């Protein structure tokens, strides 16, 4: 038989992995035959609600001894060991001795084989799901969500080249910051590169004047348009009559008004990271006004044969590109990068670990490059 060759590995976002099955529902197949799911994400505006949601699993995070104390299985320590640990160790030793034969070998006691009884298991019948409606915006639950929920179409496990069709924690981290600093972004014009499902752009559109949601691929852009339509119930969100076509007039309008550029979790491939930073450089140099760039990234630890150790190659390359951007000496622009500590509130339910980072890059036009103003008579 011929050997099986895997052309590409599939990856699955932690966001989808940790969500309960009832939170996402398959609605259709996209143009390339991938299943598309519809998920609901609640925006936790209430501070008390945020605290309750994020503390649901604190019991599981408690140390074992702390949980034993809460459950009544723990006793005060004696000689460095708790009483229940001593009892467990002694009972384990006696149990092992009982399983040894005369020669000291372990004698495995096997469960006797019982005759199979007919109909010993409960009958399980499949659940037949009907095809979803063509227009998901007519969902009956829409009135219950209003301003407190966002609905996103996405895929699940995908090849690496299609990871933009999933939702990643970096998008939630940037969305949290946008919601926390919404007064700062009110009435601004923003551009997102590598928008993916459009989640971050949709959140920004609730406060901004205009958001340019951009990515590569017709199937991905179609998903963005559908997600915008799904979230018309959010304040100040409306989908454009025609898609952005990068015409000369549209590009000129983008250059004249954009003051914020965003990119969420697009730095997982070195070539793609280089392309994103080159795009940053070209766009910022063409903008009429200085802008601020917000970048979210997750440090992903991988064991590599090249290093024979755990490393973060993609993250290290991102930091190198960030350092090179700060050290550009073209006499026109100056870039300053600084991390934003993730101490702001968490408006979505996800695991915000220490591997998630948010960066702020400020661009400044050098005085030598500013055209001299005409003096008043």
């Amino acid at each position: 038989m011929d050997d099986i060759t895997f052309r590409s590995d599939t990856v699955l976002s932690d966001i989808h992995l940790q969500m309960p099955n009832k939170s996402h529902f398959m609605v259709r197949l996209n143009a390339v035959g991938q299943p598309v799911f519809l998920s609901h994400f609640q925006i936790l505006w209430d501070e008390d609600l945020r605290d309750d949601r994020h503390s649901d699993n604190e019991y599981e995070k408690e140390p074992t001894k702390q949980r034993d104390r809460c459950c009544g299985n723990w006793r005060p320590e004696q000689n460095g060991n708790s009483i229940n640990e001593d009892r467990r160790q002694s009972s384990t030793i006696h149990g092992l001795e009982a399983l040894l034969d005369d020669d000291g070998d372990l004698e495995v006691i096997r469960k006797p084989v019982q005759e199979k009884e007919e109909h010993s298991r409960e009958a399980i019948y499949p659940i037949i799901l009907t095809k979803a409606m063509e227009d998901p915006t007519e969902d009956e639950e829409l009135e219950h969500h209003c301003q407190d929920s966002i609905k996103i179409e996405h895929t699940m496990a995908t090849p690496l080249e299609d990871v933009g069709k999933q939702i990643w924690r970096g998008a939630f981290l940037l969305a949290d910051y946008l919601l926390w600093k919404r007064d700062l972004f009110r009435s601004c014009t923003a551009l997102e590169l590598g928008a993916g499902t459009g989640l971050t752009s949709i959140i920004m559109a609730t406060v901004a004047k205009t958001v340019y949601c951009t990515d590569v691929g017709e199937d991905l852009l179609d998903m963005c348009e559908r997600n915008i339509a799904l979230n018309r119930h959010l304040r100040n969100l409306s989908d454009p009559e025609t898609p952005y076509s990068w015409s000369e007039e549209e590009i000129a309008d983008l250059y004249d008004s954009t003051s914020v550029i965003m990119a969420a979790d697009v730095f997982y491939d070195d070539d793609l990271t280089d392309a994103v930073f080159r795009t940053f450089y070209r766009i910022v140099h063409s903008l009429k006004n200085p802008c601020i760039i917000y970048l979210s990234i997750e440090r992903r630890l991988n064991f590599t044969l090249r290093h024979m150790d755990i490393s973060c190659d993609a993250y290290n390359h991102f930091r190198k590109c960030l350092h090179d951007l700060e050290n550009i000496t073209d006499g026109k622009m100056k870039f300053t990068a600084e991390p934003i500590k993730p101490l702001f509130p968490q408006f979505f339910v996800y695991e915000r670990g220490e591997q998630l980072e948010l960066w702020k890059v400020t661009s400044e036009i050098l005085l030598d490059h500013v055209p001299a103003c005409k003096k008043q008579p």
Side-chain angles (χ1 to χ4, degrees):
M1 187 175 66
D2 297 336
D3 294 335
I4 299 176
T5 302
F6 294 95
R7 297 182 179 275
S8 60
D9 295 329
T10 57
V11 293
L12 177 63
S13 170
D14 292 341
I15 296 295
H16 311 309
L17 187 63
Q18 298 174 0
M19 286 181 59
N21 292 333
K22 64 180 181 180
S23 299
H24 43 68
F25 185 80
M26 179 180 168
V27 291
R28 63 184 177 91
L29 296 177
N30 60 17
V32 296
Q34 296 170 333
V36 177
F37 298 84
L38 178 64
S39 297
H40 299 257
F41 301 97
Q42 185 176 2
I43 303 176
L44 308 178
W45 295 107
D46 189 356
E47 183 176 355
D48 295 334
L49 183 59
R50 289 200 298 267
D51 295 338
D52 293 340
R53 287 298 181 92
H54 300 313
S55 61
D56 285 343
N57 297 326
E58 287 183 358
Y59 180 80
E60 296 296 332
K61 299 178 182 179
E62 290 179 335
T64 304
K65 189 178 297 182
Q66 180 71 15
R67 292 201 301 265
D68 290 342
R69 183 187 291 113
C70 296
C71 297
N73 298 327
W74 183 87
R75 297 295 183 271
E77 294 185 354
Q78 294 181 356
N79 299 326
N81 293 325
S82 60
I83 294 178
N84 65 328
E85 290 178 356
D86 293 337
R87 291 177 179 174
R88 188 184 301 113
Q89 292 176 0
S90 61
S91 62
T92 303
I93 295 174
H94 291 299
L96 289 176
E97 292 178 351
L99 296 176
L100 300 179
D101 59 13
D102 297 337
D103 297 331
D105 298 327
L106 182 64
E107 184 178 358
V108 180
I109 302 176
R110 301 185 181 276
K111 183 178 180 180
V113 180
Q114 299 178 354
E115 296 182 359
K116 296 183 179 179
E117 298 180 0
E118 296 184 359
H119 307 291
S120 59
R121 298 178 56 186
E122 296 181 359
I124 300 177
Y125 302 96
I127 300 176
I128 302 176
L129 303 179
T130 59
K131 183 179 178 181
M133 299 174 62
E134 292 296 332
D135 185 8
T137 60
E138 298 178 1
D139 192 353
E140 295 178 357
E141 298 181 358
L142 184 60
E143 64 271 13
H144 300 293
H145 295 284
C146 298
Q147 310 297 334
D148 301 330
S149 170
I150 180 172
K151 298 198 293 186
I152 297 294
E153 282 193 1
H154 60 87
T155 58
M156 297 288 279
T158 61
L160 188 61
E161 59 268 20
D162 286 334
V163 293
K165 299 176 183 179
Q166 300 186 53
I167 304 173
W168 299 89
R169 290 189 293 182
F172 276 130
L173 180 67
L174 182 53
D176 282 340
Y177 184 79
L178 299 178
L179 292 173
W180 182 52
K181 291 287 188 180
R182 49 188 175 272
D183 291 338
L184 177 65
F185 302 107
R186 198 172 302 280
S187 301
C188 74
T189 297
L191 165 67
E192 182 177 12
L193 300 178
T197 60
L199 184 145
T200 308
S201 289
I202 291 172
I203 294 299
M204 173 62 92
T206 60
V207 294
K209 176 182 178 182
T210 303
V211 178
Y212 296 96
C213 178
T214 66
D215 211 314
V216 179
E218 294 184 4
D219 189 55
L220 192 56
L221 293 175
D222 177 68
M223 182 178 291
C224 286
E225 293 182 7
R226 294 177 67 93
N227 286 332
I228 292 174
L230 284 169
N231 292 278
R232 290 195 187 102
H233 59 282
L234 295 176
R235 55 177 70 92
N236 195 38
L237 183 63
S238 60
D239 54 321
E241 297 180 358
T242 57
Y244 194 81
S245 59
W246 295 98
S247 64
E248 294 184 1
E249 182 180 355
E250 291 172 329
I251 293 177
D253 181 69
L254 183 149
Y255 287 155
D256 291 342
S257 55
T258 300
S259 59
V260 176
I261 298 178
M262 308 179 297
D265 217 342
V266 298
F267 308 103
Y268 53 87
D269 178 80
D270 291 353
D271 294 335
L272 178 60
T273 300
D274 292 336
V276 171
F277 274 90
R278 286 196 300 266
T279 304
F280 286 153
Y281 181 81
R282 291 198 303 267
I283 292 178
V284 171
H285 275 68
S286 302
L287 295 180
K288 182 178 180 180
N289 303 308
C291 76
I292 300 178
I293 305 173
Y294 294 95
L295 310 174
S296 67
I297 184 173
E298 180 175 355
R299 288 180 289 142
R300 294 180 172 89
L301 305 175
N302 298 288
F303 181 86
T304 60
L305 295 176
R306 183 177 61 177
H307 299 98
M308 292 302 293
D309 197 1
I310 296 175
S311 62
C312 303
D313 291 347
Y315 174 78
N316 294 336
H317 189 74
F318 164 78
R319 292 297 301 271
K320 178 183 178 298
C321 292
L322 206 58
H323 179 266
D324 294 342
L325 186 66
E326 288 186 283
N327 289 275
I328 290 179
T329 56
D330 59 356
K332 299 178 181 179
M333 302 288 297
K334 178 183 178 181
F335 296 90
T336 304
E338 58 179 330
I340 299 176
K341 295 183 179 180
L343 303 177
F344 42 89
Q346 189 169 333
F347 292 90
F348 294 94
V349 178
Y350 67 100
E351 183 181 356
R352 184 191 287 183
E354 60 180 7
Q355 307 300 334
L356 283 174
E357 293 185 4
L358 184 62
W359 287 82
K360 175 183 177 182
V361 181
T362 305
S363 65
E364 179 183 358
I365 301 177
L366 298 179
L367 296 177
D368 295 339
H369 189 66
V370 177
C373 297
K374 184 178 181 180
K375 296 183 179 180
Q376 295 292 334

